[in-house]
Amino acid sequence: MFKPVAPDVAFPRLEEEILAWWHANRVVERSLAGGERPFVFYEGPPTANGRPGLHHVISRTFKDVILRYRAMQGHRIIGRREGWDTHGLPVEIEIEKKLGFNGKPDIEKFGIAEFNRLCRESVWEYIQEWKTFTRRIAYWVDENGYYTYDNKYIESLWWIFRQLWDRGLLFRDYKVTMHCPRCGTSLSDHEVSLGARDDVDDPSVYIKFRVTGESAPGCASPLAADLQGAFLLAWTTTPWTLPANVALAVQHGATYVEAHAGGERYVLAEALVAPVLGEGASIARRFKGNDLVGLRYEPLFTGVPAPGDTPDLETAYRVVADEIVTLDDGTGIVHIAPAYGDLEVGRKHGLPTLFSVDLNGMVMPGLGDLPFIGKFFKEADPDITRNLKQRGLLLKSGRVRHYYPFCWRCGTPLLYYAKRSWYIKTTAFKDDLVANNQQIHWVPEHIRDGRFGNWLENNIDWAISRERYWGTPLPIWINADGSHMECIGSLAELEAKVGRSLRDLDLHRPYVDEITWEDPQHGLMRRIPDVADCWYDSGSMPVAQWHYPFENQDLFEAAHPADYICEAVDQTRGWFYTLHAISTLLFDRPAFNNVICLGHILDEHGIKMSKSKGNVIQPEEVIDAYGVDALRWYLFAAAPPGNARRFSLGLVNESLRKFLLTLWNTYSFFVTYATLDGWRPSDEVLRAAANGSVSFPTPELRDALTPTDRWALAALNALVRDVTRNFEDYEVYPAARAIEQFVDELSNWYVRRNRRRFWKSEADADKQAAYFTLYTSLLTLTRLIAPFTPFVAEEVYRNLTGQTSGAPAGDVPDSVHLARWPTVNADLLDEQLVADTEALLAAVSLGRAARKNAGLKVRQPLSELWLRASSPAVTEGVRRFEADLRDELNVKAVRYLDASSDIVEYRFRPNLRLVGKKYGRLVPALTEALKALAGEPARAVAHAVEQGQPVRLAVNGQELELLPEEVLVESSAPAGYAVAEGDGLIVALNTTVTPELRLEGAARDLVRNVQDARKSAGLAIADRITLYVSSESEGALLQETLAGWGEYVRNETLATQLVVASPPAGAYVETVEFGDAEATIGVVKT
RNA sequence: GGGCGUAUAGCUCAGCCGGUUAGAGCGCGAUCCUGAUAAGAUCGAGGUCGGUGGUUCGAGUCCACCUACGCCCA
C-alpha cells in the first residue's frame, strides 16, 4: 500500500519530482478550473524589470497560501492569474543604460519607435525569468496573465480617463519638477537623489521688501499704516528666483518685531533679530505673524512674465501665513516663488505663478534692460544681488554651504521648475476615500487608520502625467493654440475622428502621436506628448485586466471588489492607494475587502538588502539548500507577516528541522510499521481522512481507542477548527503556529507514548486503533499544510492514499490540492481531554525534573510518585492518564494528595486580577496577611479553598471574606521526597531504591545496551538473536537480574536464546556499564 | 521636519483587558532518554523588557517626552 519512506529525505530534489508530476498531470490547471462559489483575487503586477528576490517570495507565498485555502474550500477563484507592470521609468532607464544614453535628447535622436521596442523586449526577458521562479515556488496562477502594455489594456485605461474627463476630474495645472536645463528633462526622485550634494557653496542674501502701507483685497493687516516704509526682511540662497517672487510667508503664531537698525525699520521674527541685525538693533514693537497677513509690499522687479497665463497681480506681493515657515534660520519671513518650488504654498493662498527663468535655465526677457537677462540662472545670481544692492534693497550678503541637487548625468545644477502637468482631482473625493477605507479589513489592523488612513487624510491631487516614452499615452488631443482639448475614450472613438480603421495601430508612442485630425472649428488636433504614471496602469487593473467595458462585463461585475489582495507595506502609497482611488472615483466603493500588508525583509543585521551593500540573499540560494517548503514555512511560521523581519539561511534551516523533519519522521515511522504489518486503511477511513472530516467507520474501532488516541483526535479536530478560523481572518501566522504545535505533540507525545502498540506482534483492535489514529492524523494534516507547504503535503498525501505505490484504495483526489479542506467533527472535540493532557504533560515534566534533582535516571524504576494539583479537576485529569504517567516516569504507583493531608505545607497569594480591583489600596496588606498564614490555620484555609468555601481573614483590622477563587494556594514539598513544583502542580518521588527495584533497573539497563548493540551491529528491527552476557565483578547481580527478568530481556531484544557466557568468536561484542562495574554483551544473528 | 511601525535573553520572536516568579525556539554547557527522529527531556549560564518621567495598590503592557532603526511622505 505504501512506498517506503527515506528518513534522510532531500527536499529540494523531492520538490523537483513533484513539480514534474504536477506538470505531467495538469494539476495546476485542474485546480485553477475547480470550485463553485466565486472568490476574487487581484494580482498586484510586479514591475517586469529586475529579477525576483526574497521579498517577492514573501508576497507570492502569502498570496498563494490564501488562494490555496480558498480553492480547497471549494471556491472558484477569479483573477488567479499573472499580471505584469510593464511600463515606466525603470524600464526606460535600463535601456538607456544599455545604449549608453545620456537623457531624453539621446532617446529622441535614436527614435522613440525603436526605443519603445527595446523596452518591450526587455520586459519580456524578465517575465520569462519570473515565470520559472513562480513555478518553482509553487505560486499557482494562470500564466495567461494581463500585460499593462497590451493595446486592450490601454484602451480600458483610456476609457477610465474619459470617465474622469467627462466629470471634470482630469485637469491641467503646474507641478514642480526637478528639471535639468541642459538635458532638457525632468528627473525622477531617484535620479535626483543620485546627484544631490550637501556641500554646495551658494550665495546667502538678506533682501528688503518695502511695505506699501496698503493691504491686500479682503485681508486687511492692522499694521498696514504703521509699517508703511518699513522693510520686510527675507533670506534666500537663490537670488535668481527673486524676480518670480509673489509673496512673503510668515509663521502664524510666532512673534515678529519692528526693529530699528542703521536708521532703517525692519520687520522680522523676534527670535532672529540678533543673528540677522546684530546686537545693536532696538525693538520698537512686537506683534504676531498673523497681524502681518495681508500686508502688501513693492515688488522687487516688475514685468515678470507668466507664459501661457494671465496672472492677477492684485493677489500678489503680500504677506501670507504658512506652515512651511520655520524660525531655525533666515528671518522668519520666507520668500515665495511658486514657479521654483513653492507651488503648493502658491496654490493654497491663490497666488499667481510667475517665471523669470526658462526651461533652458536662462533668465527670461521682460524684466527690462538688465545685465542678467539671457544669462544662465546660476550666473545671474551676482548680477541680481548687485542690482538690489544698488537700489538699496539688500541688507547683507554672504556665502552658505548647503544641500543642492545636480543632474546625475551632466552635473548641471537642477531647477525646481513648475511645469504644466495633468492631475486627477482626488482631493474632491477625500471623504469618500476615507469612508471606503473603513470598510477594508487590514492585516495588520493598524495600517487602516494609521499609515493608509493617514495618507488618505493628507490627500493631494494625483499628478498623472509623465514626460516620457514607454508608457500609456494620455488620450488627450489639443489644438495649436491650446484653446481646445478632447479626451478620447476608446479606439472606436479615435477611428471616428480620423475616419479610418486603426485596428493595427500600436497605441504607444510614437505611433499614436501620428494620429491627428483636422477639427473644423479649432484646427489640427494633436495628442499631447505625455504618458501616464505607471501606478495609474496598475491601479486600474480591476477594470483593464478584463478589457472592461469593451468586453467581459459580467466578469468585471463579478470580480469587483476583490476579496483579497496582498503586497508589502510600501504599497500604501503605491498600488493600494491607486486601486482604492480609482475604484472610489469611478464606482464609489473599495477595490478590495481584505488585504494582508507585509513587512519588509531585512538581512540578518536588520539592514535592508541591497545590491550596493552586497547583503542580498538570492531565493535560489535558499531553495537549493533547503527547498521551497522550508522557506515557505519559515515565512509563515517564524513571525507575524506585518513586521519587518531579519532573514538568514540558518533560520530557514531551523524551520526545516523543527517542523518539516519532525513531520517527515512521524510519517516515516508510520509507513515503516504499516508496511511491516501490512496494514491498510479501509476505504471509508481513507476517504474520510483524505477528503472529508475525521470519523469512525465502526463502533468496534471507536471502543478500542485509548484515551491518548482520543486526545490525538480531539487535538486534531481542534486544530482543524482553529486553522480554519485563522484562515477566515487572514491570520496566517497563528494558523501555522497551531499546526507546528500539533505536529510537535503528535511526534513527541503521541508517537512516543504509543510506539509499542505499533511494533507489538498481535494485530488486535488496540493496534488497529493506533494505526487508525496516526493515519487519520497524518492524512488530515496533509490537507491542513497543503496551502503552506504544497510539496511535502503532496508527497505525504499521495503516499498515504496509496497512489505513489500505484495501489490507490478508495476514490479520492489524486492531488492533495484537489482535495477538500477538512471539516470539524464536533463529536470528537474534547476540551477536557486536551486540558487533561496538558496537566499530564506538566506532571511528566515535573517528574523528570524531580528525578534530575535526585540524580535518579528514568531507567531506574521507583516505587511511588505523589502528586498534588491545584484543584480536584486537575487531579482527575491526571488520574485519567495515570498509566502514561507511571510509564513515562517509570514509577510503580501514583498517590494523589489533597488538602487534608498533613505532610504538605501551604503558601498563599491573592489572585491579583480579581482582588486588585475589589480591594485596591488594601492589596499590599492583604498579600502580607496571606503570606503570614502557617500551620493549622493555613491548612484550614487550603481546605476551605479546595472545598470552594470563602475564607475569612483579618487585614489591617478589618475582617475580609475572600472568595475561594481570590486565593491562590501553593503547596510545598513533603519532606524526604525528590520534589519539583510549578504551574500549580507538585510532584514528589519516593527515592528509595529497593533491591527488587534495583534488579529491574539493571534489567532495563541491559535491554537498552543490547538494543544499542543490535543497532550498531547493523541488525534489522525484526532480526532474532542469540544474546551472550557476562560480567566478572557483577556476576551475582547479573545472575539475580536474569533470574527475575530474563524473560523480559529476551522479549525486548528479540533474543531466542540468552546465554550467560562470554560471546563466541564472530559475535558482535560490546562492553557496557552494568551495576557498579561492567558487563560484556555479545549479539549473534540467528 | 511630519506620519506610521519597531525596540523583550547571544540570535529569531511570543507576551491577551495592566496582575503574581517575563516565556518559546535556536545557539552554548552538563546530564538523561531513545530500535521513527537530523529528534526529545531536564538542569544551567544568559534579561536594568531602548531611555527618562508620569498614572496606578500594581507597568514589558497605559500616558508624555526622548533615543535608535525601518517604511512612507515633505
Side-chain angles (χ1 to χ4, degrees), chain A residues 839-974:
Chain A
L840 169 68
L841 292 177
V844 167
S845 175
L846 289 170
R848 290 206 187 99
R851 275 188 170 273
K852 167 77 186 170
N853 293 343
L856 290 163
K857 52 188 178 183
V858 178
R859 248 178 285 145
Q860 176 58 59
L862 295 174
S863 59
E864 62 181 356
L865 173 152
W866 292 17
L867 181 119
R868 170 157 165 82
S870 53
S871 75
V874 176
T875 307
E876 274 318 296
V878 175
R879 198 192 289 273
R880 203 169 172 185
F881 288 107
E882 188 187 302
D884 285 306
L885 183 62
R886 285 200 312 262
D887 194 49
E888 192 66 16
L889 291 175
N890 199 11
V891 296
K892 300 295 177 195
V894 178
R895 289 179 57 190
Y896 302 88
L897 303 181
D898 61 20
S900 61
S901 84
D902 56 3
I903 60 168
V904 182
E905 289 292 326
Y906 298 97
R907 292 188 306 272
F908 304 92
R909 282 181 307 163
N911 188 343
L912 287 172
R913 191 168 284 180
L914 301 176
V915 159
K917 291 195 173 57
K918 195 162 162 185
Y919 294 109
R921 286 171 193 282
L922 270 177
V923 168
L926 174 60
T927 306
E928 282 311 307
L930 282 173
K931 267 188 189 163
L933 287 170
E936 193 50 45
R939 198 156 315 168
V941 169
H943 196 69
V945 170
E946 193 156 306
Q947 299 299 312
Q949 291 159 0
V951 172
R952 304 190 73 81
L953 188 68
V955 177
N956 273 6
Q958 306 179 39
E959 182 89 352
L960 299 185
E961 187 171 274
L962 297 172
L963 301 174
E965 62 269 25
E966 290 169 346
V967 180
L968 299 176
V969 183
E970 286 174 4
S971 318
S972 57

Side-chain angles (χ1 to χ4, degrees), chain A residues 825-846:
Chain A
N825 182 341
D827 292 345
L828 286 166
L829 288 172
D830 190 337
E831 295 303 332
Q832 190 58 50
L833 194 56
V834 171
D836 291 349
T837 299
E838 256 173 49
L840 169 68
L841 292 177
V844 167
S845 175
L846 289 170

Side-chain angles (χ1 to χ4, degrees), chain A residues 345-424:
Chain A
V345 179
R347 200 172 282 163
K348 200 189 314 178
H349 299 283
L351 297 166
T353 303
L354 303 182
F355 291 83
S356 58
V357 169
D358 66 17
L359 283 170
N360 295 319
M362 302 305 179
V363 179
M364 295 163 81
L367 298 176
D369 183 21
L370 292 166
F372 47 87
I373 299 297
K375 275 197 175 180
F376 192 62
F377 71 101
K378 275 283 179 187
E379 287 153 16
D381 278 344
D383 293 322
I384 291 173
T385 307
R386 200 172 306 122
N387 175 281
L388 292 171
K389 186 174 185 182
Q390 282 161 7
R391 292 159 55 199
L393 297 176
L394 180 78
L395 173 69
K396 59 177 182 175
S397 65
R399 306 292 292 177
V400 68
R401 187 156 287 199
H402 69 153
Y403 166 98
Y404 201 84
F406 292 82
C407 178
W408 63 277
R409 295 193 192 90
C410 62
T412 307
L414 297 180
L415 278 167
Y416 292 84
Y417 203 104
K419 290 186 187 173
R420 292 283 192 167
S421 193
W422 286 88
Y423 286 85
I424 294 177

Side-chain angles (χ1 to χ4, degrees), chain A residues 230 551 730:
Chain A
E551 289 179 71
Y730 295 87

Side-chain angles (χ1 to χ4, degrees), chain A residues 1012-1044:
Chain A
D1012 243 12
R1014 284 181 58 110
K1015 208 174 180 180
S1016 305
L1019 298 185
I1021 291 169
D1023 285 343
R1024 308 282 148 159
I1025 57 167
T1026 300
L1027 176 61
Y1028 298 87
V1029 195
S1030 64
S1031 176
E1032 285 180 22
S1033 48
E1034 290 280 17
L1037 177 65
L1038 184 61
Q1039 286 295 344
E1040 276 188 76
T1041 301
L1042 294 181

Side-chain angles (χ1 to χ4, degrees), chain A residues 812-834:
Chain A
V812 296
D814 56 344
S815 164
V816 71
H817 304 293
L818 301 173
R820 294 299 289 249
W821 187 253
T823 50
V824 176
N825 182 341
D827 292 345
L828 286 166
L829 288 172
D830 190 337
E831 295 303 332
Q832 190 58 50
L833 194 56
V834 171

